[in-house]
């Protein structure tokens, strides 16, 4: 096996293992790791059968219909790579947008199992605690409704966790009706206006989600900064891959 084939095989295998771990450990399956697993499997198959596949490509290229099909596939791959790079750069840049001092923190909800927070939600709440301890005059809005399979609302779960970890209940407002990121901000903004809270907001969410959350907040006319939560390494590839689709959806939705 040549070095190129070996590198492709190892890259595909590493990606496959990283994306399958959430499925094995927590039964997490979404469009992110599903698509990623498919790409990694295709990469490994290509590396394994590279000589045969390359020979087939050469034969197809000699036909008009083959040139058309291969050109479309090549264009699709090129556009896909460019989109992934562009979105990734946007994600990274969004993390450097610092919030105003003592901005109103909006803690975006995430999955609750019964009455216990998911790992992702716990990471967001821990980031909120750090921010609130560093900005003693800041308040926060725990934002998130209750799904059919959740024992309590995400907002209630956030509230309990923050209070348990030393944040005064007087600094926490609850928004427990939202079912999407857009509603998180729209409903939270109503609370901000009703209680005359600072209209500059600090978006508390995982680093992979900060960019898309900021896009949505910006389109609602909100002035925002990022308070990114660090995502567990074994979960990041899956949620990063899913977020690529989420960002692309936002772009297409308002194009």
């Amino acid at each position: 096996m040549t070095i190129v084939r070996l590198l492709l095989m190892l890259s595909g295998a590493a990606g496959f293992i990283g994306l399958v771990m959430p499925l094995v450990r927590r039964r997490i399956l979404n469009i992110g790791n599903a698509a990623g697993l498919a790409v990694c499997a295709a990469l490994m198959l290509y590396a394994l059968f590279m000589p045969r596949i390359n020979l087939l490509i050469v034969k197809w290229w000699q036909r008009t219909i083959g040139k058309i099909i291969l050109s479309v596939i090549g264009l699709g791959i090129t556009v896909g790579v460019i989109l992934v790079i562009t979105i990734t750069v946007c994600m990274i840049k969004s993390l450097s947008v610092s919030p105003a001092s003592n901005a109103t923190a909006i803690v975006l909800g995430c999955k609750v199992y019964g009455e216990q927070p998911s790992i992702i939600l716990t990471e967001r709440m821990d980031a909120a605690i750090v921010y609130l301890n560093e900005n003693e005059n800041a308040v926060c809005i725990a934002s998130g409704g209750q799904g059919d399979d959740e024992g309590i609302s995400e907002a209630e779960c956030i509230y309990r966790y923050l209070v348990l970890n030393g944040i005064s209940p007087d600094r926490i407002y609850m928004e427990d009706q939202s079912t999407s990121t857009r509603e998180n901000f729209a409903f939270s903004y109503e609370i901000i206006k009703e209680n005359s809270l600072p209209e500059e907001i600090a978006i508390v969410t995982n680093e992979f989600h900060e960019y898309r959350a900021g896009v949505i907040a910006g389109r609602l006319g909100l002035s925002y900064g990022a308070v990114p939560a660090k995502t567990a390494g074994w979960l990041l590839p899956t949620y990063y891959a899913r977020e690529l689709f989420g960002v692309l959806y936002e772009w297409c939705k308002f194009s």
Side-chain angles (χ1 to χ4, degrees):
M1 183 176 288
T2 64
I3 294 179
V4 173
R5 291 176 67 187
L6 181 61
L7 289 175
L8 288 175
M9 179 63 74
L10 291 176
S11 298
F16 193 92
I17 293 172
L19 290 164
V20 83
M21 283 183 64
L23 178 61
V24 174
R25 294 181 62 175
R26 293 298 176 92
R27 296 181 181 178
I28 298 173
L29 179 63
N30 56 44
I31 190 174
N33 55 355
L37 288 170
V39 170
C40 290
L43 193 62
M44 287 188 290
L45 286 172
Y46 175 65
L48 189 62
F49 300 104
M50 182 183 288
R52 295 182 183 180
I53 294 175
N54 287 346
L55 182 61
L56 186 62
I57 290 174
V58 171
K59 289 182 178 180
W60 269 76
W61 191 254
Q62 294 173 354
R63 304 176 183 179
T64 302
I65 186 64
K67 287 182 179 180
I68 295 174
I69 293 174
L70 291 173
S71 295
V72 170
I73 293 174
L75 179 61
I77 293 174
T78 301
V79 171
V81 170
I82 292 173
L83 282 173
V84 168
I85 294 174
T86 302
I87 293 173
T88 301
V89 171
C90 290
M91 287 180 176
I92 294 173
K93 289 180 63 177
S94 71
L95 303 180
S96 63
V97 182
S98 300
S101 178
N102 294 310
T104 301
I106 297 181
V107 188
L108 301 182
C110 193
K111 183 68 178 178
V112 172
Y113 296 99
E115 297 187 2
Q116 299 302 313
S118 60
I119 295 174
I120 294 293
L121 182 55
T122 300
E123 291 165 343
R124 296 178 185 184
M125 295 186 297
D126 287 339
I129 291 169
V130 172
Y131 175 79
L132 292 170
N133 285 335
E134 291 177 349
N135 295 267
E136 297 181 355
N137 294 321
V139 298
C140 78
I141 299 174
S143 180
Q146 181 177 350
D148 293 336
D149 57 348
E150 295 177 323
I152 57 175
S153 69
E154 295 164 8
E156 176 67 25
C157 186
I158 295 169
Y159 177 88
R160 293 181 184 181
Y161 189 91
L162 296 185
V163 171
L164 185 64
N165 284 275
I167 303 302
S168 171
D170 295 338
R171 301 176 68 190
I172 308 170
Y173 295 80
M174 286 204 301
E175 181 287 295
D176 59 4
Q177 299 301 310
S178 57
T179 60
S180 67
T181 303
R182 184 167 298 278
E183 290 183 353
N184 285 144
F185 290 123
F187 298 164
S188 293
Y189 188 49
E190 292 301 318
I191 292 176
I192 288 174
K193 291 189 293 184
E194 290 171 3
N195 294 275
S196 300
L197 303 178
E199 295 198 6
E200 297 84 0
I201 67 170
I203 302 174
V204 185
T205 190
N206 291 75
E207 65 270 88
F208 61 81
H209 189 227
E210 280 286 0
Y211 172 69
R212 182 160 62 94
V215 169
I216 294 172
R219 284 174 174 156
L220 291 173
L222 301 175
S223 175
Y224 64 91
V227 179
K230 184 174 178 57
T231 307
W234 64 278
L235 286 173
L236 184 57
T238 288
Y239 283 98
Y240 159 75
R242 186 185 71 169
E243 193 65 13
L244 293 173
F245 290 96
V247 172
L248 186 59
Y249 172 76
E250 281 298 323
W251 285 358
C252 293
K253 186 177 178 181
F254 288 92
S255 60

